[in-house]
Amino acid sequence: MKQVTIAICNYNYERYLAAAIDSALAQDYPATTVMVVDDGSTDGSRAILDSYGDRVLALYKRNGGQVSAYNHAIASLNSEYVIFLDSDDVLYPSAVSEIMRLFDGGPWAKVQFRLDVMDSEGALTGAYVPNSEPPHDCGRLLRSGWLYPSPPASGNAYRVSALKQIFPVPEEGVNRYGADFYAIYGVALAGPIATISKSLGGYRVHNAGSETVAFANSEQLTKAPRAFNMRWAILRNIAKDRLEVELPATFLDFSHEKATFCSSVYRATFFRRWHWMLLDSGSYLHTIIANPFWSLKKKLGTLVLSSLCLVPYSPLSDFAVRYIANPLARRRVPGR
């Protein structure tokens, strides 16, 4: 039986850490090892880890950020496959078994799966991510600059040999976070991607209700575009130096353009909304119209919703922006 590691990178998440570890230990796939890399936590995380004894391989390091923790974890792996589980997320008991059925059936570099969105208390919201599925040959589209639809970090299982073609990733300077960016997209250059069209875990979203445009946990809306541009530049260098793959200077991604769209038109004046749509929306509209992962129906629906930001009634405009940006805004709310 092939060995699988569930690697949990933790920093000061003692409130959620036990739930993540328990979900990893509860897997019904016998050849599963649980590793926790603690990135210099200063809360009670170490006491929680110590309480598991030899059921968990605990690795302690000085604080260096998420990229540093991924580098350390990947260098320590002895298994053929790994799932990187965020320390505030959970896996369902059959996750590893279902993932390994796909790995056993093809030369996949990565198997990805849906995650149910939870609130900060762990209650299911009725939403899930991602809402689109990529083709197997994501690498071909990535070579043209298209970032493919992927779940957050916890929704991805990797062939370790593919990851080691991308990692280690530079840790210095501002590149402390976003390790999952390099894993998710870089690994598509090393082999094909498979998708499981069901939820195998839960993704916890903090402070992101249905009345906001915020959804991702790691970065503020206004910072995300700049961070993605920096990571793409680093990934280009890695691809060129280690894989002899030449990636384009810029990338195409609706999620990235959506962040710019939201920060520009949400709760903006009527004039500002029209000004942005007329003069600055070219890249945003291109990632809708030319999107190789979307159906015609989804493209038309997104264009119609986007056009609502031009109406003079700001509550309707802001609702449309929230609906586009935040999956929680699309759920049915009891009593409404």
Side-chain angles (χ1 to χ4, degrees), residues 176-218:
R176 287 172 55 89
Y177 306 104
D180 50 332
F181 178 93
Y182 303 105
I184 288 168
Y185 300 114
V187 80
L189 299 172
I193 306 299
T195 300
I196 297 175
S197 301
K198 64 183 290 188
S199 295
L200 298 182
Y203 170 57
R204 196 182 306 267
V205 176
H206 305 277
N207 303 316
S210 61
E211 299 301 315
T212 75
V213 291
F215 182 68
N217 290 323
S218 58

Side-chain angles (χ1 to χ4, degrees), residues 162-186:
L163 271 183
K164 287 187 174 181
Q165 294 183 56
I166 306 301
F167 286 82
V169 169
E171 305 171 8
E172 61 274 2
V174 296
N175 196 42
R176 287 172 55 89
Y177 306 104
D180 50 332
F181 178 93
Y182 303 105
I184 288 168
Y185 300 114

Side-chain angles (χ1 to χ4, degrees), residues 61-303:
K61 60 182 290 295
R62 294 177 61 181
N63 179 252
Q66 188 195 37
V67 170
S68 173
Y70 265 57
N71 284 342
H72 191 77
I74 292 169
S76 304
L77 288 171
N78 294 314
S79 59
E80 190 174 349
Y81 302 95
V82 64
I83 301 169
F84 274 97
L85 176 64
D86 282 351
S87 56
D88 57 341
D89 293 341
V90 296
L91 292 174
Y92 299 158
S94 65
V96 176
S97 294
E98 299 200 39
I99 289 163
M100 289 310 298
R101 274 196 285 272
L102 254 71
F103 272 127
D104 287 339
W108 310 114
K110 189 188 90 163
V111 171
Q112 66 178 51
F113 48 92
R114 286 188 345 199
L115 295 172
D116 290 325
V117 178
M118 309 181 297
D119 65 18
S120 59
E121 301 302 317
L124 296 178
T125 65
Y128 60 82
V129 288
N131 291 284
S132 301
E133 293 185 9
H136 297 324
D137 60 342
C138 295
R140 176 181 61 82
L141 291 165
L142 191 68
R143 286 172 171 82
S144 299
W146 282 100
L147 302 187
Y148 65 91
S150 172
S154 300
N156 300 278
Y158 303 94
R159 189 182 296 272
V160 172
S161 59
L163 271 183
K164 287 187 174 181
Q165 294 183 56
I166 306 301
F167 286 82
V169 169
E171 305 171 8
E172 61 274 2
V174 296
N175 196 42
R176 287 172 55 89
Y177 306 104
D180 50 332
F181 178 93
Y182 303 105
I184 288 168
Y185 300 114
V187 80
L189 299 172
I193 306 299
T195 300
I196 297 175
S197 301
K198 64 183 290 188
S199 295
L200 298 182
Y203 170 57
R204 196 182 306 267
V205 176
H206 305 277
N207 303 316
S210 61
E211 299 301 315
T212 75
V213 291
F215 182 68
N217 290 323
S218 58
E219 291 162 325
Q220 297 176 8
L221 192 66
T222 55
K223 292 182 178 179
R226 184 176 57 190
F228 266 49
N229 285 321
M230 177 198 69
R231 289 168 194 151
W232 179 253
I234 293 172
L235 181 60
R236 287 186 71 220
N237 289 334
I238 291 172
K240 183 176 181 179
D241 294 344
R242 300 179 193 171
L243 304 176
E244 297 183 348
V245 171
E246 194 75 45
L247 295 175
T250 58
F251 63 90
L252 298 161
D253 177 53
F254 177 72
S255 294
H256 169 264
E257 295 299 335
K258 180 176 66 177
T260 303
F261 166 71
C262 294
S263 61
S264 300
V265 304
Y266 188 60
R267 293 180 175 171
T269 64
F270 180 59
F271 173 80
R272 171 61 184 156
R273 285 180 270 139
W274 269 90
H275 184 274
W276 189 86
M277 287 296 289
L278 288 173
L279 299 180
D280 301 318
S281 63
S283 295
Y284 172 75
L285 295 175
H286 179 70
T287 58
I288 297 173
I289 296 168
N291 197 307
F293 312 109
W294 287 9
S295 66
L296 178 60
K297 180 180 178 181
K298 184 168 183 177
K299 292 178 182 181
L300 291 174
T302 306
L303 288 171

